[in-house]
Amino acid sequence: MTTALSTTAPNSALLSAAVKDDATAALDDPLEHGRFTRWVSGERGERLAESSLLLSGLHCAACAGIIEVALRGVAGVQAAHVAAASQLATVRWDPQATRPSALIAAVRAAGYDAVPDAAAPARTLRRREFRQALWRLFVAGFCAMQVMMMATPSYVAAPGDLSADMRTLLNWGSWILTLPVLAFSAGPFFKGAWRSLRTRRIGMDVPVALGIGITFVASTGATFDPAGHFGHEVYFDSLTMFVSFLLGARFMEMRARHRAAEALEASLARLPETALRVADDGTVHSVSVLRLVPGDHVRVLAGQAFPADGTLIEGRTQADESLLTGESVPVSKQEGSELVAGSINLGAPVLMHVQRVGNDTRFEAIVSMMRSAATQRPAAARLADRWAGPFLWAVLVLAAGAAAVWSVVDPSRAIWVAVSVLIVTCPCALSLAAPAAMVAAIRAFARRGVMVQRLDAIDGLARVDQVFFDKTGTLSSDRLRLDGWQITTQGERHFVDRQSALAMAATLAAWSTHPVARALVAAVPERGAGSPASGDSWHDIEDVAGHGLRGLDAQGQEWRLGAPEWVMGGGRGAATDIDDAAARTCLGLRGHVLARFDFEEELREGAREAVAALQRDGVIVSLLSGDSAARSHRLAERVGITDVIAGATPAGKLDAVIAAQARGRCVAMVGDGVNDAPVLARADVSLAMGQGALVARSQADAVIASGRLGDLVAARRSAQRALSIVRQNMLWAAAYNAVCIPLALVGWLPPWLAGLGMAMSSLAVVLNALRAAR
């Protein structure tokens, strides 16, 4: 079911009403089902759908009951459950009897609202992980407190105050309370250790599991046979407290991961589920965004997200591109402007031409980069992992040696000394030192509009001491700016003043989307004012490729706007150089030049400030361009760059970077074009502009999606701060082990204090790493 509307005269209210009545119909498309539905088997083996809906408007538990009744009243619904706290509904329904749109309609009829919950599977996994972690922590913490109460008399009672029977009874009670901690709370440690041993590798869970197991076995022997080999001392309090501390630290790490995943899902939620596709006959149909293809025309209402990458072909508006820029400042959009999937239309209804959909959009590319970078391990982390294996073997040998020595010195203390050594030397902090800081740094980069594709780029960016900038599209934007104009002697007979000549040129230029034409139009906000012809009086307009624009005015006279020789009657000869045409454009009538317009490339926002900031930090800044020497030096002078390499081919650019690296420089390359891809791949660190060519972005270590070069400076400083934090974490982990291992060996560090120290060490590393996200 679709609704068709005429788009001859777009009406926002009419379209909004149509969207409200019909947008949910697109959810019945089988392609949409996979976003929020999973398939299950019924009691009789029939195929049923189980959909997740995100609700709004709930205020109490009674609201949940009302929605459940409304959903169960839909024919084909077999079960419905609503959680008021999370405002989520799970509905099991028969696809032969009903549709998702009917479910949402039922919720709305009850006075609430609902939308598909596309992130339900991932949220379900996180919820399950959270509940398990919370229960494990609760059981360990609760039992540890009870065990500690039973152990307290043994610590505080004076000699003779605590009878042997009472001590045995308390030990038995501690043993019983330790069982759920061992069997349930400590389960992840034993599973992790078994996985490591099964793959013939040694991980951090191995010494932890050994410590827990040895402590329990020794304490169990002391409980039931105080006169046996294990002596009479029990360490159930140390065991349960150690498990509680370690689970507490891991719980906080898990919450940090979940917050990062939720932030990514919030970005994914920016895309709409449906779009208003405009047919060739001008009618509008609400379709799933998964049905869009390049070449479609889509109507986007105010307040909606753009469903794909494309260009604006009708209307003017403003867009919120904070996903790309990190700022909520609206960006003006005119006909011909680029539109980015996921950005919000803030102004008025517009018509867009779809260019890229699905995984080809910049939005999906950014999400892919974030996911890829978040799952990579930096070089520092890989180095720590390589050393963690030998270190753990050394720990096991050291613990065995300590147990052997203490079995001679004081057999009653041999077990808990060995356990303390195993626990205190667990390299959790060492392994967390680098990745925790790097992942936090990625979040800081993303907020500034810099999307990291390769995690090692953070280390390289912090060490960069020479930056090569491409010119066109990097230091300069893709727009031209009118630098000045003058009218000729013949032009003085046609125009009242210079402003009239500019207005006349702008009315003709308004018929073209060429950068020169757009610059002329932008120079005259009220185009046509004071000109002999208005924009509506032109006819027989022709855009001559490589030359310019020509058209007839109301009197039938042919005007030309473009390259000088063509305006003077050069005909359709060889096309002039586009850059030369951009530098000097003429307006003429009947082969006579009446006005000349000079243009220059518009600097990218913050380019001059970014170059100056890098130079203040001691970085050598160079311009590496394939453009002519004159234009390259002119732009370099405007931004403050003195080292210029102009007229460079892709091979020449590659040679320049290789030469800098041969001089011992750590080189960063910032570019945007196809010809920049080889040099981006060669540089120590490469950054591509978010609006650049796909091949350039694919070769880059990071993408400046915001398009602001100032974010490069901020990213470099964030990278330096992240590496500083990594060094602090490494130093802390080394100092912790250097201090605590001798204390454990000499018997001054009981197992419970070793567990507290290890957990607090890991927690301190994680909390310190979070500073990199600022």
Side-chain angles (χ1 to χ4, degrees):
M1 173 182 177
T2 58
T3 297
L5 294 172
S6 172
T7 58
T8 304
N11 185 299
S12 179
L14 184 61
L15 286 173
S16 297
V19 171
K20 182 176 180 180
D21 294 338
D22 189 59
T24 55
L27 300 177
D28 298 335
D29 191 325
L31 284 176
E32 281 288 335
H33 290 173
R35 294 161 61 94
F36 59 96
T37 301
R38 68 187 185 97
W39 299 99
V40 298
S41 297
E43 295 178 356
R44 296 183 299 275
E46 69 274 23
R47 188 170 183 259
L48 300 177
E50 189 172 271
S51 298
S52 297
L53 303 177
L54 190 61
L55 307 173
S56 63
L58 283 75
H59 303 291
C60 61
C63 297
I66 295 172
I67 295 176
E68 286 182 352
V69 171
L71 288 170
R72 290 168 184 162
V74 177
V77 172
Q78 298 196 358
H81 175 71
V82 176
S86 59
Q87 299 200 356
L88 294 173
T90 302
V91 187
R92 183 169 293 189
W93 51 279
D94 184 356
Q96 303 297 324
T98 188
R99 299 167 298 174
S101 58
L103 306 179
I104 293 180
V107 175
R108 290 175 177 171
Y112 303 91
D113 202 359
V115 294
D117 184 17
R123 188 179 294 110
T124 299
L125 290 176
R126 288 200 304 272
R127 188 183 300 116
R128 184 183 304 130
E129 182 184 17
F130 174 81
R131 287 177 177 173
Q132 288 180 347
L134 187 60
W135 270 109
R136 293 184 196 279
L137 179 60
F138 170 76
V139 170
F142 178 80
C143 292
M145 289 188 291
Q146 308 308 311
V147 171
M148 197 64 208
M149 285 193 297
M150 293 188 176
T152 300
S154 299
Y155 291 115
V156 301
D161 288 348
L162 189 63
S163 66
D165 291 341
M166 181 59 67
R167 183 185 298 275
T168 300
L169 182 61
L170 293 174
N171 289 345
W172 285 356
S174 297
W175 180 80
I176 293 173
L177 287 169
T178 303
L179 290 178
V181 176
L182 186 75
F184 177 66
S185 297
F189 307 124
F190 290 110
K191 290 178 182 177
W194 171 244
R195 283 195 297 266
S196 297
L197 295 176
R198 192 172 56 185
T199 57
R200 297 183 179 181
R201 298 183 62 184
I202 185 167
M204 291 179 292
D205 286 332
V206 172
V208 173
L210 279 175
I212 293 173
I214 292 173
T215 301
F216 181 76
V217 170
S219 299
T220 300
T223 298
F224 294 100
D225 187 10
H229 297 291
F230 295 106
H232 64 279
E233 296 289 344
V234 297
Y235 308 104
F236 296 120
D237 53 339
S238 298
L239 187 154
T240 53
M241 288 179 66
F242 165 62
V243 173
S244 300
F245 293 144
L246 191 53
L247 287 176
R250 292 195 176 186
F251 182 81
M252 296 189 67
E253 295 167 21
M254 179 201 67
R255 291 296 295 159
R257 291 198 317 272
H258 286 186
R259 283 194 297 269
E262 289 164 1
L264 183 58
E265 285 175 1
S267 296
L268 287 167
R270 296 290 293 272
L271 285 178
E273 285 79 17
T274 59
L276 298 174
R277 184 165 60 190
V278 180
D280 293 338
D281 60 0
T283 57
V284 176
H285 301 274
S286 180
V287 299
S288 165
V289 294
L290 301 177
R291 294 288 182 184
L292 294 179
V293 296
D296 281 345
H297 288 179
V298 175
R299 178 73 63 186
V300 183
L301 304 184
Q304 286 187 335
F306 292 103
D309 287 357
T311 55
L312 184 62
I313 58 176
E314 182 183 299
R316 295 189 177 202
T317 187
Q318 291 183 317
D320 174 10
E321 296 183 348
S322 57
L323 174 67
L324 302 174
T325 64
E327 295 183 358
S328 57
V329 178
V331 180
S332 296
K333 299 292 182 180
Q334 303 177 10
E335 292 182 10
S337 297
E338 288 190 0
L339 301 174
V340 182
S343 59
I344 305 298
N345 179 16
L346 300 178
V350 295
L351 187 66
M352 70 174 293
H353 174 78
V354 174
Q355 294 178 326
R356 293 178 296 275
V357 298
N359 293 333
D360 294 330
T361 63
R362 286 172 59 194
F363 177 88
E364 288 294 339
I366 288 170
V367 172
S368 176
M369 288 176 219
M370 294 172 66
R371 284 174 172 161
S372 175
T375 56
Q376 292 178 20
R377 293 187 63 76
R382 294 194 296 269
L383 179 63
D385 288 345
R386 283 197 299 269
W387 280 102
F391 178 78
L392 287 171
W393 280 113
V395 166
L396 296 179
V397 172
L398 193 64
V405 171
W406 276 95
S407 63
V408 176
V409 176
D410 185 354
S412 65
R413 302 178 64 186
I415 294 296
W416 73 257
V417 168
V419 169
S420 296
V421 173
L422 285 171
I423 293 173
V424 81
T425 52
C426 182
C428 293
L430 181 65
S431 294
L432 288 171
M438 294 301 189
V439 171
I442 287 177
R443 291 166 53 194
F445 281 30
R447 283 201 307 272
R448 294 182 175 92
V450 178
M451 303 301 164
V452 178
Q453 297 191 99
R454 190 172 62 88
L455 209 54
D456 283 341
I458 297 177
D459 177 69
L461 187 58
R463 296 185 293 105
V464 161
D465 52 15
Q466 182 166 3
V467 177
F468 285 97
F469 283 104
D470 178 44
K471 183 178 78 71
T472 306
T474 302
L475 288 174
S476 66
S477 67
D478 58 355
R479 298 183 299 273
L480 296 173
R481 182 175 65 86
L482 181 63
D483 189 41
W485 74 99
Q486 59 185 5
I487 57 177
T488 64
T489 302
Q490 291 183 340
E492 292 176 353
R493 293 197 295 267
H494 287 81
F495 303 113
V496 176
D497 53 23
R498 293 172 65 248
Q499 199 65 33
S500 298
L502 176 61
M504 181 69 172
T507 60
L508 181 56
W511 292 87
S512 174
T513 58
H514 190 278
V516 170
R518 287 190 294 182
L520 275 172
V521 173
V524 185
E526 298 295 334
R527 69 172 189 246
S531 65
S534 68
D536 296 331
S537 65
W538 294 107
H539 58 92
D540 293 339
I541 305 295
E542 183 182 4
D543 196 339
V544 183
H547 294 284
L549 196 68
R550 65 184 174 188
L552 303 181
D553 62 14
Q555 289 75 38
Q557 303 178 100
E558 181 182 286
W559 291 75
R560 291 188 179 188
L561 178 67
E565 61 270 26
W566 180 72
V567 170
M568 291 186 292
R572 294 180 179 268
T576 59
D577 179 66
I578 294 299
D579 288 327
D580 289 338
R584 172 61 63 86
T585 298
C586 296
L587 175 68
L589 176 66
R590 295 189 298 272
H592 299 290
V593 174
L594 305 182
R596 295 185 177 91
F597 303 91
D598 296 319
F599 299 86
E600 66 177 2
E601 292 174 292
E602 186 173 313
L603 289 181
R604 186 173 291 277
E605 178 187 358
R608 187 181 295 107
E609 293 79 4
V611 169
L614 289 171
Q615 291 172 337
R616 285 195 300 271
D617 289 345
V619 177
I620 299 173
V621 181
S622 305
L623 177 61
L624 188 57
S625 175
D627 208 345
S628 67
R631 283 189 290 272
S632 297
H633 281 279
R634 189 162 55 244
L635 185 137
E637 184 178 353
R638 291 169 61 194
V639 296
I641 296 177
T642 57
D643 183 23
V644 180
I645 301 175
T649 63
K653 292 183 177 182
L654 194 60
D655 291 340
V657 169
I658 293 174
Q661 291 173 326
R663 294 193 296 269
R665 299 288 182 186
C666 183
V667 175
M669 175 68 195
V670 187
D672 78 318
V674 173
N675 62 338
D676 294 323
V679 70
L680 286 170
R682 173 68 195 204
D684 297 295
V685 183
S686 54
L687 300 102
M689 305 307 293
Q691 299 81 6
L694 177 61
V695 66
R697 286 183 277 135
S698 66
Q699 292 293 338
D701 297 322
V703 175
I704 307 176
S706 66
R708 296 192 308 263
L709 292 177
D711 290 332
L712 168 61
V713 180
R716 180 174 177 271
R717 292 172 180 170
S718 293
Q720 291 175 328
R721 182 168 61 252
L723 284 193
S724 175
I725 290 172
V726 169
R727 286 191 290 269
Q728 292 172 11
N729 285 346
M730 292 285 192
L731 182 62
W732 163 254
Y736 161 77
N737 282 283
V739 171
C740 293
I741 290 177
L743 294 177
L745 288 173
V746 299
W748 292 353
L749 197 68
W752 70 267
L753 188 57
L756 176 62
M758 190 200 70
M760 292 299 102
S761 176
S762 299
L763 188 58
V765 164
V766 172
L767 294 177
N768 188 42
L770 293 178
R771 295 193 301 116
R774 294 190 303 209

